[in-house]
Amino acid sequence: MIRHSTIECGDDHVTILAGKLRNNRAPPTRNVTVRHNILGRGMGLAIGSSTAGGVSDVLYYNNTMTQISGFGNGQGAHIKMRTRFGGYVKNISWIDNVFHYVSGPAIYVESGYQSGWKRTCTNSSGDLSCTEVDNITIKNMVVHSGSDGGSINCFDNAPCTNFHFENIKIHNKRKNHKPIIACKNVASGTVVGGALREMFDEQSCTSLETLP
């Protein structure tokens, strides 16, 4: 558990990792809670990109990013996946988090991270080595000043499943510019409320079900 801390850095404020393969093995990371922290200068709350052992049951709860001006490519909620690390990212929640300023995508699921932006996932032998992404919740998230809604960008041969989005407010720093979240290779998920649904791209996010 990480709690009641002040974190300021030149990279992710917090990222949860699960190692790289050593002799075809890597330790899992699970049951992690990050709550009630103050986040100064930095780049958000992340998972990955080292996920070989699997990351599961992580809760980012009631953290506040206080920076009010731009820095780097900071995101709010960020999942990073490399093409050859494999493993899984599942049962991850961002709940009740506030970001005063986000210079990059507020929500970003990024396949091909630092991997030449390749769209398929393989290991050194050419076998599939995809990161499984399942059961991701983002709820009660506020971005007071942001530049982009974001994207959920999963591998072509490893679609993500079971996203849940609820009560997300992203205020764009550019007046009259509506933040949009795009989807690619998202197999299933839910969005609560018609107003929030309008934040998701109509053409690319058709797999997301709208709930009342």
Side-chain angles (χ1 to χ4, degrees), residues 1 6 33 64 141 168 179 187 210:
M1 179 180 293
T6 299
T33 298
T64 301
M141 175 180 179
I168 299 169
T210 304

Side-chain angles (χ1 to χ4, degrees), residues 11-208:
D11 209 314
D12 301 319
H13 289 95
V14 180
T15 189
I16 309 300
L17 308 174
K20 300 179 182 180
L21 287 176
R22 296 289 186 270
N23 297 320
N24 293 317
R25 299 182 64 184
T29 299
R30 53 182 178 263
N31 300 323
V32 178
T33 298
V34 181
R35 68 181 188 185
H36 306 308
N37 298 290
I38 300 299
L39 312 176
R41 184 173 184 258
M43 297 174 65
L45 300 172
I47 304 291
S49 63
S50 298
T51 57
V55 178
S56 65
D57 302 293
V58 175
L59 172 62
Y60 283 115
Y61 176 71
N62 195 23
N63 301 284
T64 301
M65 183 193 287
T66 59
Q67 74 169 9
I68 58 174
S69 61
F71 170 68
N73 266 333
Q75 288 83 29
H78 191 191
I79 297 175
K80 301 179 276 188
M81 300 175 286
R82 296 181 189 248
T83 56
R84 298 186 178 188
F85 279 23
Y88 55 80
V89 174
K90 58 185 180 182
N91 306 333
I92 313 295
S93 297
W94 286 261
I95 298 176
D96 293 351
N97 296 289
V98 176
F99 302 86
H100 283 269
Y101 182 90
V102 173
S103 58
I107 298 170
Y108 195 14
V109 177
E110 185 179 6
S111 60
Y113 173 79
Q114 293 187 357
S115 305
W117 309 112
K118 295 179 181 178
R119 298 300 317 153
T120 57
C121 35
T122 59
N123 61 22
S124 58
S125 300
D127 299 322
L128 290 182
S129 185
C130 301
T131 305
E132 176 191 354
V133 177
D134 178 62
N135 197 24
I136 308 298
T137 295
I138 301 177
K139 181 179 178 180
N140 300 341
M141 175 180 179
V142 178
V143 177
H144 288 292
S145 179
S147 60
D148 185 16
S151 63
I152 311 164
N153 221 337
C154 304
F155 286 117
D156 292 347
N157 50 343
C160 301
T161 54
N162 297 320
F163 278 89
H164 179 77
F165 302 98
E166 183 175 351
N167 192 27
I168 299 169
K169 294 179 173 60
I170 302 172
H171 304 284
N172 199 286
K173 63 181 180 181
R174 292 175 288 176
K175 292 183 178 180
N176 302 318
H177 185 86
K178 180 181 177 182
I180 295 294
I181 298 172
C183 303
K184 187 167 186 179
N185 301 314
V186 179
S188 62
T190 54
V191 178
V192 176
L196 179 56
R197 178 68 205 207
E198 292 179 0
M199 190 183 297
F200 289 82
D201 179 68
E202 291 184 7
Q203 296 183 341
S204 65
C205 298
T206 56
S207 61
L208 298 179

